[in-house]
């Protein structure tokens, strides 16, 4: 199936990878037709640490950390932020 999210088509059947907090799907820009990878965070809290008190704050911190790491990487396969 395909979902439309903020100018992108997300191909839900095309999983590129799975991680601790969600899955990465193949997407395509509606304006440029460029292929992109889109991470969708899981609503399932069973993958989070047992002692977690505030799930949303934990996810924000984890996502911020991932963004900081990606900003330091330079590759044709990573969209620079």
């Amino acid at each position: 199936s395909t979902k439309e999210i903020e100018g992108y088509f997300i191909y839900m059947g095309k999983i590129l990878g799975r991680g601790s907090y969600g899955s990465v799907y193949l997407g395509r820009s509606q304006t440029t037709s460029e292929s992109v990878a889109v991470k969708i965070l899981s609503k399932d809290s069973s993958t989070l640490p047992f002692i977690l008190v505030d799930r949303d704050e934990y996810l924000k911190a984890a996502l911020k950390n991932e963004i900081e790491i990606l900003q330091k990487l330079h590759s044709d396969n990573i969209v620079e932020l």
Side-chain angles (χ1 to χ4, degrees), residues 4-67:
E4 185 178 339
I5 302 174
E6 297 187 20
Y8 293 90
F9 293 116
I10 312 303
Y11 304 105
M12 302 306 290
K14 301 280 186 175
I15 296 178
L16 301 177
R18 294 184 196 272
S20 299
Y21 310 116
S23 299
V24 179
Y25 295 89
L26 177 63
R28 186 167 303 279
S29 168
Q30 292 177 347
T31 55
T32 66
S33 295
E34 181 178 26
S35 292
V36 297
V38 179
K39 178 177 267 188
I40 298 180
L41 299 178
S42 173
K43 293 179 183 178
D44 179 10
S45 61
S46 67
T47 60
L48 301 178
F50 180 75
I51 59 171
L52 183 63
V53 175
D54 188 340
R55 177 185 183 276
D56 289 340
E57 287 303 314
Y58 183 87
L59 287 176
K60 284 179 194 176
L63 190 55
K64 181 181 176 193
N65 185 51
E66 183 173 343
I67 289 170

